[in-house]
């Protein structure tokens, strides 16, 4: 790990533990993030994005065990399906547990992605909690495909901007989103 990587992890952890918001790279697009168990921090992300708070947001977890901690009764066959997916896939699960109430859907569901990005995995494991991951843009505006495309309006409202991967210019794509109703019953929300 480079000094910059470790410094970004340390600074991000400090901000997240204090209830702040970070701007960080994920395994898809750059995201706004906070501790997914902190309702005040989640509220702040809604405010930064100018997004209605009835629209649930995605959370990132480090591994399958994290899903089991935050979902009432996940179908374990889903993990085999996810392992075969060619791109990052977010799953909408019923029965969210232990998360900020203003983060879940009105029906108690939560959108979770097991991230593959090394920075995110380290951050989540060291925080010991999932983190919010919502695209770093004002609601209704196009998703920024790179750090350079993120508006100054967004950058000026966060508590910490991660330096890791800012120089990348290849446009990133959002994750697929599915609702898992069972092995032969998958609803594709976004492909």
């Amino acid at each position: 790990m480079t000094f910059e990587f470790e410094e970004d992890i340390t600074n991000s952890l400090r901000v997240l533990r204090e209830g702040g918001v970070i701007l960080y790279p994920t395994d898809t697009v750059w995201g706004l993030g906070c501790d997914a168990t902190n309702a005040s921090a989640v509220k702040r992300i809604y405010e930064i994005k100018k997004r209605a708070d009835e629209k649930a947001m995605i959370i990132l977890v480090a591994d399958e065990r994290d899903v089991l901690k935050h979902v009432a009764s996940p179908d374990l066959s889903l993990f085999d399906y996810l392992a075969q997916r060619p791109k990052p896939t977010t799953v909408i699960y019923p029965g969210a547990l232990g998360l900020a109430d203003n983060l879940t859907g009105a029906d108690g569901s939560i959108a979770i992605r097991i991230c593959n990005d090394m920075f995110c995995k380290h951050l989540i494991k060291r925080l010991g909690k999932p983190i919010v991951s919502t695209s770093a843009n004002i609601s209704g505006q196009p998703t920024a495909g790179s750090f350079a495309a993120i508006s100054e309006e967004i950058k000026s409202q966060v508590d910490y901007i991660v330096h890791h991967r800012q120089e990348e210019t290849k446009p990133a794509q959002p994750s697929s989103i599915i609702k898992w109703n069972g092995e032969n019953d998958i609803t594709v929300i976004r492909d």
Side-chain angles (χ1 to χ4, degrees):
M1 285 188 275
T2 65
F3 173 75
E4 180 180 273
F5 183 98
E6 184 57 36
E7 185 177 35
D8 275 334
I9 292 283
T10 300
N11 290 334
S12 295
L13 285 170
R14 178 185 45 76
V15 168
L16 293 170
R17 287 176 179 143
E18 292 172 355
V21 174
I22 62 170
L23 177 59
Y24 69 108
T26 73
D27 51 346
T28 59
V29 298
W30 275 74
L32 293 170
C34 70
D35 172 351
T37 67
N38 184 324
S40 296
V42 170
K43 182 176 187 270
R44 210 163 133 232
I45 288 182
Y46 282 117
E47 291 168 353
I48 291 170
K49 286 185 66 78
K50 299 179 183 172
R51 181 176 177 161
D53 63 6
E54 65 271 1
K55 288 182 134 189
M57 292 188 280
I58 293 170
I59 65 166
L60 295 183
V61 297
D63 54 39
E64 294 170 0
R65 286 181 308 229
D66 290 342
V67 173
L68 300 176
K69 280 195 263 185
H70 295 287
V71 176
S73 56
D75 178 352
L76 299 181
S77 64
L78 170 64
F79 298 137
D80 293 331
Y81 170 82
L82 290 175
Q84 306 304 315
R85 296 284 297 163
K87 71 184 266 190
T89 301
T90 300
V91 179
I92 299 173
Y93 296 90
L97 299 171
L99 300 167
D101 289 340
N102 57 345
L103 185 58
T104 60
D107 61 357
S109 64
I110 187 65
I112 301 177
R113 185 168 73 250
I114 300 170
C115 66
N116 293 315
D117 178 79
M118 187 172 72
F119 179 83
C120 293
K121 277 188 177 288
H122 278 275
L123 186 60
I124 294 163
K125 285 183 178 197
R126 287 178 55 186
L127 182 64
K129 300 175 185 180
I131 56 176
V132 169
S133 179
T134 184
S135 57
N137 61 306
I138 301 298
S139 190
Q141 293 184 359
T143 300
S146 66
F147 177 77
I150 299 169
S151 74
E152 288 304 318
E153 182 178 3
I154 292 288
K155 291 176 185 175
S156 69
Q157 295 184 73
V158 300
D159 302 302
Y160 183 71
I161 299 174
V162 172
H163 297 90
H164 179 65
R165 293 182 40 207
Q166 281 188 15
E167 72 289 341
E168 293 177 5
T169 56
K170 182 181 176 196
Q173 298 297 315
S175 69
S176 295
I177 300 177
I178 65 166
K179 185 169 185 184
W180 181 264
N181 307 308
E183 203 162 341
N184 297 314
D185 187 8
I186 300 166
T187 305
V188 176
I189 310 295
R190 179 174 71 201
D191 196 21

